[in-house]
C-alpha cells in the first residue's frame, strides 16, 4: 500500500488529500492496524492525511466504500466476495472494490466459559450467543457457521462487538460469542486472563 501511495504522491503534492480508513471496533484487530497504517501514510506520503475510523467492520466498510464515504477499509474475504458479486447484504448494490493486500489469516473463535457447559456447536442450541456486530464479517461468517450446524434458528442471538460480547460473558448476559479475527485479539485475551473464568 505504501508503495502504491508513493506512486501517486506526486499527484497529491500540490494539494492535501484526506483519506479515511475504515477499521472495526476498538476491541478487535482492524482498529490498531488501521491506526498504524494511517500514521505511516500521513508521515511518509507527502500531501496525505489519513485517519482510521471506527466502524462496524467488514460489511460496513464495503458499504461505505460503495457510497464513496471511505477510501480504504479492512474486510474479510467472505464479505468482499459478497460485495463484488452482489450477494447477501449487497444484493441490491454491488461494490466495485479492489484488493490491495492480504494482511493476515483470520481465525474463527467460538468462545464460551467452562461453567456454561457448552462443549460442541450443537450445545449452542437454545443458548444466548453473540454473532458479531451488525454489518461485520464476523456476523456473516457466524451465521454461515450456525446454518451449517443446523442451529441458526435455534439460538438467542445478540449482535455485539467482540468487546461488548466479552463484557456480556463476564456479566453472564450471554453464554458464548463468535468472533472472527486475527491473533491476538485484545478482548479475547482480556477474557482469557480474567480471574475465575476458564475458557
Amino acid at each position: 500500500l505504501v508503495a502504491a501511495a508513493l506512486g501517486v504522491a506526486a499527484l497529491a503534492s500540490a494539494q492535501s488529500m484526506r483519506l479515511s480508513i475504515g477499521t472495526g471496533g476498538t476491541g478487535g484487530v482492524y482498529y490498531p492496524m488501521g491506526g498504524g497504517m494511517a500514521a505511516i501514510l500521513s508521515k511518509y506520503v507527502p500531501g496525505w492525511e489519513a485517519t482510521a475510523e471506527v466502524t462496524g467492520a467488514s460489511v460496513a466498510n464495503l458499504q461505505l466504500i460503495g457510497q464513496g464515504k471511505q477510501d480504504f477499509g479492512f474486510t474479510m474475504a467472505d464479505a468482499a466476495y459478497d460485495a463484488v458479486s452482489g450477494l447477501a447484504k449487497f444484493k441490491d448494490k454491488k461494490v466495485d472494490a479492489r484488493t490491495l493486500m492480504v494482511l493476515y489469516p483470520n481465525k474463527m473463535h467460538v468462545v464460551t466459559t467452562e461453567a456454561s457447559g457448552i462443549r460442541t456447536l450443537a450445545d449452542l442450541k437454545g443458548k444466548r450467543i453473540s454473532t458479531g456486530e451488525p454489518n461485520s464479517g464476523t456476523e456473516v461468517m457466524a451465521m454461515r457457521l450456525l446454518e451449517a450446524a443446523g442451529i441458526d434458528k435455534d439460538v438467542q442471538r445478540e449482535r455485539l462487538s467482540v468487546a461488548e460480547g466479552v463484557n456480556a460473558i463476564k456479566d453472564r448476559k450471554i453464554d458464548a460469542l463468535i468472533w472472527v479475527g486475527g491473533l491476538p485479539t485484545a478482548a479475547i485475551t482480556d477474557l482469557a486472563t480474567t480471574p475465575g473464568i476458564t475458557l
Side-chain angles (χ1 to χ4, degrees):
L1 177 63
V2 173
L6 292 173
V8 297
L11 299 174
S13 62
Q15 59 192 6
S16 180
M17 184 182 294
R18 296 183 60 97
L19 298 169
S20 172
I21 302 172
T23 63
T26 57
V29 178
Y30 287 175
Y31 183 71
M33 289 187 75
M37 184 179 289
I40 289 170
L41 289 172
S42 297
K43 182 175 180 178
Y44 293 106
V45 181
W48 281 25
E49 183 181 332
T51 57
E53 309 291 340
V54 174
T55 70
S58 294
V59 173
N61 288 338
L62 288 158
Q63 289 170 334
L64 290 166
I65 288 169
Q67 296 162 7
K69 295 179 180 177
Q70 199 167 270
D71 301 296
F72 302 112
F74 291 85
T75 184
M76 288 185 231
D78 287 50
Y81 179 81
D82 287 350
V84 299
S85 302
L87 302 172
K89 295 188 182 239
F90 300 94
K91 65 183 175 202
D92 296 326
K93 186 170 183 195
K94 286 183 182 182
V95 177
D96 185 21
R98 298 288 182 267
T99 300
L100 298 179
M101 70 183 94
V102 176
L103 295 172
Y104 58 86
N106 277 316
K107 304 291 184 184
M108 179 172 275
H109 303 64
V110 181
V111 180
T112 189
T113 63
E114 187 175 63
S116 73
I118 297 168
R119 299 286 181 266
T120 68
L121 283 177
D123 294 339
L124 293 174
K125 189 172 182 176
K127 302 291 187 183
R128 298 164 301 165
I129 65 169
S130 173
T131 55
E133 284 184 274
N135 292 328
S136 67
T138 291
E139 181 181 53
V140 170
M141 294 179 72
M143 294 312 296
R144 288 177 179 162
L145 174 71
L146 295 173
E147 183 179 355
I151 58 172
D152 55 312
K153 307 280 191 253
D154 301 320
V155 296
Q156 297 174 44
R157 185 172 163 224
E158 299 290 334
R159 299 170 80 194
L160 307 173
S161 71
V162 66
E164 292 167 335
V166 163
N167 288 332
I169 285 179
K170 287 180 182 180
D171 295 339
R172 299 175 191 233
K173 292 180 179 176
I174 63 172
D175 301 298
L177 68 84
I178 298 174
W179 161 250
V180 182
L183 300 175
T185 294
I188 303 293
T189 301
D190 171 59
L191 183 61
T193 58
T194 300
I197 290 181
T198 302
L199 298 187

